[in-house]
Amino acid sequence: KQEVTQIPAALSVPEGENLVLNCSFTDSAIYNLQWFRQDPGKGLTSLLLIQSSQREQTSGRLNASLDKSSGRSTLYIAASQPGDSATYLCAVPNTGGFKTIFGAGTRLFVKA
Amino acid sequence: GAVVSQHPSWVICKSGTSVKIECRSLDFQATTMFWYRQFPKQSLMLMATSNEGSKATYEQGVEKDKFLINHASLTLSTLTVTSAHPEDSSFYICSAKNQGLAGADTQYFGPGTRLTVL
């Protein structure tokens, strides 16, 4: 059964810091992994999608890496800004591949 | 990019009433849509998978008679919370898989519907 763990659960950093959010999953037979952002009371915004054949994806100040064999992904945020404050969710397909399993998220607060 | 909408964005109702939430894929067809619920400060939990033209598949512990799902067309799925009670108050989010374009494994999420049952 696929399980997703995100560490840390919460993170508070001063503006300008580079930071890393971690995601681990138990079943490495995934075909992709997605990182989402969720603002309080809002829906999900897709940030990055990494296919199983890829090792990383970049979008602006965001870089996500994927190591399938070890069941890990990291989301790197460079030069953090107060506008980055949100909850970041990692999601992978379940064992069998049809459903999506979410981690509990990392709540990020970037102080001005 | 692909867009999924939900209506309403928020709803407040009295205990015992039924509430219908709509999920639409605006610029693509989706044979499969998913319904999630999210309690405060918790992650998304899959409730059911909605299949166009057939019955929905519910996750363990989700009452199918309480959460009625209808996927009548390739662009619309509805979730009806019947006889809602305060414990049903939650954030409901739908998603749709884009079947027609490259990257068909990508799920696109709606903005969510916040249900408050008094």
Side-chain angles (χ1 to χ4, degrees):
Chain A
K1 178 185 174 185
Q2 181 73 278
E3 294 181 358
V4 182
T5 303
Q6 289 188 244
I7 295 174
L11 184 61
S12 180
V13 300
E15 182 177 7
E17 261 196 28
N18 301 323
L19 52 98
V20 175
L21 309 182
N22 298 291
C23 171
S24 61
F25 45 94
T26 55
D27 185 347
S28 62
I30 60 171
Y31 53 81
N32 65 27
L33 179 146
Q34 254 180 302
W35 282 94
F36 294 89
R37 168 185 173 137
Q38 185 177 31
D39 292 289
K42 304 292 185 182
L44 274 65
T45 301
S46 180
L47 297 174
L48 291 163
L49 169 69
I50 310 176
Q51 300 292 352
S52 60
S53 57
Q54 300 172 321
R55 293 194 63 86
E56 65 178 325
Q57 280 283 341
T58 298
S59 176
R61 294 181 293 106
L62 305 179
N63 176 278
S65 67
L66 174 63
D67 184 344
K68 272 187 59 176
S69 60
S70 66
R72 295 171 189 252
S73 175
T74 60
L75 178 66
Y76 176 81
I77 302 177
S80 58
Q81 302 171 358
D84 295 330
S85 299
T87 295
Y88 291 81
L89 296 163
C90 164
V92 295
N94 69 325
T95 301
F98 188 69
K99 304 171 187 175
T100 299
I101 306 299
F102 285 85
T106 294
R107 280 185 288 137
L108 172 66
F109 179 63
V110 181
K111 296 172 286 188
Chain B
V3 177
V4 175
S5 71
Q6 280 185 243
H7 179 79
S9 56
W10 60 270
V11 57
I12 300 173
C13 69
K14 293 182 179 180
S15 184
T17 60
S18 294
V19 175
K20 180 185 285 187
I21 303 170
E22 293 184 349
C23 176
R24 294 182 185 271
S25 55
L26 297 185
D27 49 3
F28 65 99
Q29 294 183 333
T31 56
T32 302
M33 292 184 174
F34 302 90
W35 286 96
Y36 297 83
R37 68 187 299 180
Q38 184 180 34
F39 291 108
K41 297 186 179 180
Q42 295 187 27
S43 192
L44 280 73
M45 297 301 294
L46 181 65
M47 297 175 65
T49 302
S50 171
N51 304 295
E52 188 267 336
S54 65
K55 291 183 179 180
T57 303
Y58 290 82
E59 295 300 298
Q60 191 173 8
V62 177
E63 299 176 59
K64 63 180 181 180
D65 294 330
K66 180 167 187 62
F67 299 99
L68 301 179
I69 291 173
N70 186 298
H71 194 157
S73 77
L74 288 172
T75 59
L76 173 64
S77 175
T78 61
L79 168 68
T80 301
V81 183
T82 62
S83 187
H85 288 93
E87 58 265 30
D88 298 323
S89 298
S90 186
F91 194 52
Y92 293 87
I93 301 178
C94 73
S95 72
K97 281 193 175 183
N98 191 335
Q99 305 292 308
L101 302 177
D105 293 326
T106 302
Q107 280 191 57
Y108 295 92
F109 285 81
T113 296
R114 182 159 302 283
L115 170 63
T116 301
V117 185
L118 302 177

